[in-house]
Amino acid sequence: MLSRVANNLIWLERYMERGHGILSLLKVNFYANQDSPELFPWTPIIKNYTDLNNTFYTENTVECLDFMVFNTENPNSILNIVTRARENARGVQEHISRELWICLNNYYLFLTKKNLRKKLNTEDPIEFIDNLRNFHLMFYGTMDITQERGAPYYFLNLGKYLERMILVSDFTAIKLTEISKTTDKLEQSFYWKNLLLSMGGYQLYLKKYKSAFKEDHIISMVFQEKLFPRSLYYCVNKLNLSVGKLIEGGQLDKNYIEFSLGKLESTIKYTTIESINNQGLDNFITQIKKDIRDISININTIYFSEIN
């Protein structure tokens, strides 16, 4: 497989995973902002997912949603993300299922409908966001049941789980910044609950812990829970599986990426809550993000066997 094809497959899935994560964050923040706008403003999200030089600033909910979904000057707007995902998919149509291409193309056509942007001002924003999230869920399901389990499938998974780890660490870092501004335990519990909802882990947390939102339990679940599809532990295991399959199939050479993944897996798996508390949660997450960046660089610069 050509390196260009592998790169397109990775970025196709990275864009789709990023879009789903941002939409989930927008939905949860919308609900929270309606109840407590002083605790859950839009500025941190806008700041984290737009160009640092961008001067856009408002706390108007509809304007913020419009900026995050449709604004073409925002590199992480859903429209831009889906457009880039479609461009990557178009270049590798022979390597993905026809159903997957149709699913993504339909999403793009939906987003570019002439009057869709106006509906954001007239419809329930949650219903609007859910309609977009459904396209991502359909994409995941279509990929799972139609994509053959060959090299393209594992390259797609590299992109998915790498981007998911980045989102998890970013979401956690955002909440930590907000938590650091208050010593009120009740307010802090609101932020932790918001984090779980953004990651789709709220119900699992209640089933497992049946308690208030405690920092130790949250961190254990977000970083180390084996059964949670968006925990870092789960994601790094999936990355290891995909890399192993690609090496086994001759699509990747053994290199530093295995060491990087093993290092991150050990850090996540064997670091205790006590150790995290001793070094500081913010320092722990900073190190985790650095390790994830190293893996991302290795994946982007990795040697792909150019098989015609």
Side-chain angles (χ1 to χ4, degrees):
M1 180 177 291
L2 297 174
S3 58
R4 171 187 56 80
V5 174
N7 188 63
N8 282 4
L9 289 166
I10 288 171
W11 277 100
L12 159 60
E13 191 66 65
R14 284 195 65 172
Y15 286 132
M16 291 303 288
E17 181 69 23
R18 187 182 305 173
H20 181 261
I22 289 174
L23 285 170
S24 298
L25 192 63
L26 294 177
K27 178 178 179 178
V28 172
N29 202 73
F30 176 86
Y31 277 128
N33 180 268
Q34 298 302 297
D35 292 332
S36 305
E38 70 285 356
L39 295 181
F40 299 99
W42 289 104
T43 301
I45 296 175
I46 300 294
K47 194 173 181 180
N48 197 72
Y49 288 103
T50 59
D51 193 318
L52 292 175
N53 296 322
N54 197 287
T55 57
F56 178 87
Y57 175 80
T58 180
E59 280 299 324
N60 180 281
T61 295
V62 174
E63 289 180 7
C64 288
L65 291 176
D66 179 87
F67 183 78
M68 292 301 298
V69 174
F70 292 111
N71 194 297
T72 54
E73 294 181 4
N74 173 11
N76 281 316
S77 70
I78 300 302
L79 177 58
N80 278 337
I81 285 173
V82 173
T83 299
R84 290 197 293 268
R86 180 174 177 267
E87 289 171 355
N88 279 279
R90 185 166 53 187
V92 293
Q93 281 191 59
E94 66 274 23
H95 297 279
I96 61 176
S97 68
R98 180 174 179 272
E99 292 86 354
L100 196 62
W101 162 252
I102 291 173
C103 178
L104 183 52
N105 194 51
N106 286 342
Y107 189 11
Y108 172 79
L109 294 176
F110 177 79
L111 275 173
T112 53
K113 280 184 178 180
K114 188 174 181 180
N115 296 320
L116 182 65
R117 194 168 187 173
K118 295 179 181 177
K119 289 186 177 181
L120 184 56
N121 292 285
T122 58
E123 293 185 355
D124 176 11
I126 291 300
E127 182 178 346
F128 186 89
I129 292 173
D130 277 342
N131 285 337
L132 299 185
R133 291 178 76 243
N134 286 339
F135 278 101
H136 289 269
L137 297 177
M138 190 177 299
F139 177 87
Y140 292 142
T142 302
M143 175 183 160
D144 188 58
I145 65 175
T146 66
Q147 185 67 40
E148 62 183 76
R149 267 41 174 183
Y153 176 79
Y154 294 113
F155 279 122
L156 286 166
N157 274 341
L158 279 185
K160 177 197 292 184
Y161 291 107
L162 174 62
E163 188 66 33
R164 188 172 293 181
M165 286 199 302
I166 293 171
L167 289 171
V168 168
S169 57
D170 281 348
F171 285 9
T172 308
I174 290 173
K175 295 308 168 192
L176 278 181
T177 300
E178 295 168 341
I179 287 170
S180 67
K181 299 175 183 177
T182 179
T183 57
D184 187 309
K185 294 298 182 183
L186 182 59
E187 284 188 13
Q188 291 179 356
S189 71
F190 292 157
Y191 289 125
W192 288 127
K193 177 182 178 181
N194 188 270
L195 174 64
L196 288 174
L197 288 168
S198 300
M199 295 172 56
Y202 178 69
Q203 286 185 321
L204 179 59
Y205 180 90
L206 294 181
K207 288 178 182 178
K208 182 169 184 177
Y209 294 105
K210 299 179 176 65
S211 66
F213 299 102
K214 297 181 179 179
E215 180 177 312
D216 289 356
H217 292 165
I218 300 287
I219 296 307
S220 177
M221 181 171 166
V222 170
F223 290 97
Q224 299 174 321
E225 175 55 57
K226 296 178 181 180
L227 301 181
F228 180 35
R230 282 183 164 74
S231 75
L232 289 187
Y233 184 83
Y234 184 94
C235 291
V236 77
N237 278 344
K238 288 293 186 179
L239 278 175
N240 270 323
L241 174 64
S242 296
V243 167
K245 290 291 186 180
L246 290 168
I247 291 173
E248 182 183 314
Q251 296 295 329
L252 289 181
D253 284 347
K254 289 188 176 183
N255 60 18
Y256 188 71
I257 188 174
E258 288 182 298
F259 174 79
S260 299
L261 282 170
K263 179 174 177 287
L264 179 58
E265 181 180 14
S266 295
T267 300
I268 294 169
K269 185 176 181 180
Y270 297 112
T271 301
T272 63
I273 295 298
E274 291 76 14
S275 175
I276 293 174
N277 290 333
N278 288 336
Q279 64 180 291
L281 182 54
D282 53 342
N283 292 328
F284 177 71
I285 293 176
T286 299
Q287 183 58 49
I288 290 291
K289 292 179 74 172
K290 180 181 180 300
D291 290 343
I292 293 173
R293 282 197 300 271
D294 288 344
I295 293 171
S296 178
I297 291 171
N298 279 312
I299 288 177
N300 287 336
T301 60
I302 203 165
Y303 172 79
F304 296 107
S305 300
E306 301 227 347
I307 302 174
N308 293 321

